[in-house]
Amino acid sequence: MLLVWFAASVWSIIELRINIATFADSIGNAANFVSRIFPLDFPPLGEILAMTGQTLAIVTCATALSVVLSFGVSLAAARNTSPGTPWRWAARAVIVVTRAIPEIVLAILFLRMFGLGGLAGILALGIHSIGMVGKMYADAIEDTDAGPRDALRSAGATWWQQISGAVVPQAMPAFVATALHRFDINLRASVILGYVGVTGIGMELSLAMRTLDYSRGMALALFVVLLCIAVELVSGAVRSSLLGEQGSGSRRPWWRRIGRSSWVTEGPRRTGARRDANGQFRVTPPWTPQRIRTTVYGGLAVVALVASIWASGIDFSRTVDGLATTGPTLALFFPPGTGGIWSELLAQLVVTVQIALAATLLGLILAVPVGILAARNVSPSPAVAKGFRIFIVTVRGIPDLIIAIIFIVITGLGATAGALALSVGAVGLLSKLIADSLEETDVRVQHAVAAGGATRSQTFVAATLRQSAPALVAHLFYQLDVNVRAATLLGVVGAGGIGFYLMNAARVMQFDVVTTIVLMVFAVVMTIEAVAMWLRRAMS
């Protein structure tokens, strides 16, 4: 199967004409593009702060919405908390469907219902995020220790008391870390939603690029990149702090000491039953420094959420009117139709798959050495590993949309630009996954092989690579899955594939064609996931 994937990827690269001749032909366009973007034209400070505030407000509300919805879905999806098998399968179906429907399709639907503004972006990002957040929450719940819940059950606790008293406290670090990670993803996704009318930086960027105002457009793109990298670094530090870092020293910079005492997981310093002044057993926890700190963090989160709702520009009067038109709006999308271009849709779906295949292979070629050098247990030195980790964070911080715009201007509209843009993004994600998988291997096996006289390279191949091979194959197909959906989105800005037809169908209000395109992409994604699951089982 891996040979089939490799052959298909090479064929895709050839078909898309990703070669030296294409780059040579684009040198003139690149020089012209560079001459037109300088000097960069940044908007006035007040204007750019307002755009940033609105974008962050939309992303914050969307992430909060996804957390709330995903919590209920994950309780039904997890084996140890699900009320029954039908509930579990229904919840898993919700996770799969929401993950497969691109957020831009949801944005088109909600813009039709609620008009331009932030609400459509919040709902689109929030509902699409259930696919990832709900799955990771369910996995975290299934990983919790059954002992505390059994103890509460034996004491007569209700189902909800068992969940709130035993399951949630154990899974809370994973809940918070997943939410922060999703915030990063939603921030990048919010930019592309600007192309369909969601307010914020993305809308201003799309207006600048459509009017060929490259100096303003690239200034905004640079600002988006810096914003994404800053958010990635801060959220990454908070995630590491909450989840704990083995072997970390006490002399850490301030941003690494956020929540340094693992406020979510740390238990009370004293154990045993406590009594109040009247000699009765206390049924509420005492106000320890940990509880005060947790309460302060929770209060700040609530304040940030309320401020985000206010700043996102939700028009509540239009919200009520939009809800009243839910039925007629949904009816526009069913039954699915082809618009008389079924053969063209099939051909463009093949192009989308080609973009994903080519991008995955090109990204893998660069991601393998980067990931190996970023793994602390394989890298020649900690300094080298840290340097490549910083490189990975920097690459991951650049949204695919920004890279796609640059390649479109240089190479022209079409699939080549999409494949090259996604390959750059694949380097960031794949190299991180490769480095993490190598670091998660059992070092005792490596030490045993090395003690037998094996060289460094022999130890890597015989011990480290062999242990991580199933995970690496899974990451490869996960990246292919991500690239198929991302290729659909980038088609919206002219990067080729079926996404271009998706955008056109939405513009001319052929919503039945939109549904057909979504079902086609859904079928491809499900096929890739089925192949990936089969491979993981075969290699495990």
Side-chain angles (χ1 to χ4, degrees):
M1 186 58 70
L2 288 176
L3 288 176
V4 172
W5 164 79
F6 180 76
S9 300
V10 173
W11 167 71
S12 299
I13 291 174
I14 296 172
E15 286 291 312
L16 297 178
R17 297 189 62 197
I18 302 175
N19 50 44
I20 296 177
T22 300
F23 288 107
D25 294 340
S26 304
I27 291 177
N29 292 336
N32 182 48
F33 173 64
V34 171
S35 66
R36 294 182 63 179
I37 63 175
F38 292 106
L40 295 173
D41 180 22
F42 286 95
L45 181 60
E47 187 177 334
I48 201 166
L49 287 178
M51 287 187 292
T52 304
Q54 190 170 30
T55 298
L56 292 176
I58 291 173
V59 173
T60 301
C61 292
T63 306
L65 176 64
S66 70
V67 167
V68 172
L69 297 177
S70 298
F71 178 67
V73 172
S74 61
L75 287 176
R79 281 191 298 270
N80 53 340
T81 57
S82 179
T85 302
W87 283 92
R88 183 164 175 260
W89 280 107
R92 291 286 177 179
V94 169
I95 290 173
V96 171
V97 171
T98 52
R99 182 166 170 262
I101 300 177
E103 55 266 48
I104 200 164
V105 173
L106 294 172
I108 291 171
L109 168 65
F110 292 124
L111 284 168
R112 177 78 182 176
M113 292 175 60
F114 303 112
L116 298 177
L119 182 59
I122 293 171
L123 294 174
L125 292 173
I127 293 176
H128 177 72
S129 299
I130 295 174
M132 170 196 159
V133 179
K135 181 181 184 304
M136 299 190 73
Y137 277 18
D139 292 343
I141 290 173
E142 290 182 349
D143 289 339
T144 56
D145 185 359
R149 190 181 175 196
D150 291 341
L152 290 178
R153 185 188 297 114
S154 63
T158 63
W159 180 85
W160 175 246
Q161 288 172 331
Q162 297 169 33
I163 297 298
S164 60
V167 176
V168 172
Q170 292 186 72
M172 185 59 79
F175 285 176
V176 177
T178 301
L180 290 171
H181 182 50
R182 191 65 212 182
F183 184 89
D184 298 343
I185 297 173
N186 284 342
L187 177 59
R188 296 186 185 88
S190 68
V191 180
I192 199 169
L193 295 189
Y195 277 75
V196 294
V198 175
T199 54
I201 299 177
M203 176 179 278
E204 296 299 324
L205 176 62
S206 68
L207 290 175
M209 299 308 294
R210 283 171 182 166
T211 57
L212 305 182
D213 187 358
Y214 293 144
S215 56
R216 172 60 64 91
M218 294 317 298
L220 289 170
L222 177 61
F223 181 79
V224 169
V225 170
L226 296 177
L227 180 64
C228 290
I229 292 175
V231 171
E232 170 86 19
L233 291 174
V234 173
S235 64
V238 175
R239 283 199 302 271
S240 299
S241 177
L242 293 177
L243 295 178
E245 290 182 316
Q246 295 179 353
S248 61
S250 59
R251 297 182 60 185
R252 296 184 296 178
W254 66 269
W255 60 85
R256 305 300 300 273
R257 287 185 271 114
I258 300 174
R260 57 188 172 86
S261 58
S262 299
W263 57 275
V264 174
T265 57
E266 186 178 278
R269 297 181 182 276
R270 294 178 55 188
T271 58
R274 295 170 179 268
R275 295 177 183 273
D276 57 20
N278 298 323
Q280 301 296 320
F281 287 111
R282 299 186 60 166
V283 294
T284 57
W287 283 98
T288 61
Q290 174 202 347
R291 189 183 180 195
I292 295 173
R293 189 165 52 247
T294 303
T295 304
V296 170
Y297 288 154
L300 291 176
V302 171
V303 171
L305 179 59
V306 172
S308 297
I309 294 173
W310 173 78
S312 59
I314 299 175
D315 187 344
F316 291 98
S317 61
R318 294 189 63 177
T319 302
V320 176
D321 296 337
L323 290 174
T325 63
T326 300
T329 302
L330 288 175
L332 296 175
F333 289 80
F334 298 97
T338 63
I341 55 172
W342 173 246
S343 59
E344 185 65 19
L345 292 179
L346 280 178
Q348 292 304 316
L349 181 64
V350 173
V351 172
T352 300
V353 175
Q354 287 178 330
I355 293 173
L357 287 167
T360 304
L361 178 57
L362 293 174
L364 180 67
I365 293 172
L366 293 176
V368 168
V370 173
I372 291 174
L373 292 172
R376 287 189 291 268
N377 57 336
V378 180
S379 182
S381 68
V384 172
K386 187 174 183 179
F388 276 92
R389 283 285 183 178
I390 294 174
F391 171 76
I392 291 172
V393 170
T394 304
V395 173
R396 291 189 65 209
I398 305 174
D400 293 336
L401 173 65
I402 305 300
I403 305 173
I405 290 173
I406 295 174
F407 278 117
I408 287 171
V409 175
I410 294 175
T411 65
L413 295 171
T416 303
L420 293 175
L422 290 180
S423 66
V424 175
V427 172
L429 179 57
L430 265 181
S431 56
K432 179 185 183 301
L433 295 174
I434 290 173
D436 291 345
S437 296
L438 295 176
E439 290 182 353
E440 290 170 359
T441 56
D442 190 348
V443 295
R444 294 173 299 181
V445 179
Q446 300 167 22
H447 293 162
V449 174
T455 62
R456 190 180 183 89
S457 59
Q458 289 172 332
T459 302
F460 172 74
V461 174
T464 310
L465 187 60
R466 188 170 183 176
Q467 291 183 73
S468 57
L472 296 180
V473 172
H475 297 331
L476 177 65
F477 280 87
Y478 172 69
Q479 182 66 63
L480 180 59
D481 176 356
V482 170
N483 281 348
V484 169
R485 286 181 279 115
T488 305
L489 294 180
L490 293 186
V492 173
V493 296
I498 203 167
F500 179 73
Y501 287 79
L502 173 68
M503 190 65 186
N504 281 344
R507 283 175 176 164
V508 299
M509 293 188 289
Q510 287 184 311
F511 298 111
D512 55 336
V513 178
V514 170
T515 304
T516 299
I517 294 174
V518 171
L519 292 175
M520 295 170 73
V521 175
F522 180 79
V524 172
V525 170
M526 289 298 101
T527 303
I528 294 173
E529 289 203 355
V531 172
M533 290 177 61
W534 177 78
L535 275 176
R536 283 198 296 270
R537 290 174 181 172
M539 297 184 67
S540 62

